[in-house]
Amino acid sequence: MNLLNAVALRVALAVQHRGRRLAADVRDRGDRGSGVVETIILVAGFAGLAFAVYLAVSSKVHGWINEIPGATSR
């Protein structure tokens, strides 16, 4: 158990160190506007993905509702 805890602690510290180094690298970059553009692209991509999932799930749910005797779906 102690070995597992030691390994988990080392991994956590390595991840934290890597994150701090990446954050320092980002702060030192001269092109600060690219982060905004990347964020907008990511948000738009996730919004499109969420809409596609909504359409797929919505049609499935309406299909299941239509199979219920006496149920009305719009």
Side-chain angles (χ1 to χ4, degrees):
M1 190 64 165
N2 288 336
L3 178 64
L4 183 61
N5 287 339
V7 170
L9 181 61
R10 285 181 184 230
V11 169
L13 289 174
V15 168
Q16 181 186 23
H17 179 69
R18 176 78 174 151
R20 287 185 180 185
R21 280 192 350 193
L22 287 174
D25 289 344
V26 168
R27 279 193 304 271
D28 293 339
R29 282 193 323 187
D31 56 344
R32 294 191 184 270
S34 67
V36 174
V37 173
E38 292 166 358
T39 302
I40 291 171
I41 291 170
L42 280 173
V43 169
F46 280 117
L49 180 64
F51 183 69
V53 169
Y54 165 76
L55 288 178
V57 170
S58 175
S59 64
K60 283 282 190 186
V61 169
H62 285 294
W64 292 334
I65 290 173
N66 287 334
E67 291 178 4
I68 298 172
T72 59
S73 177
R74 295 179 185 196

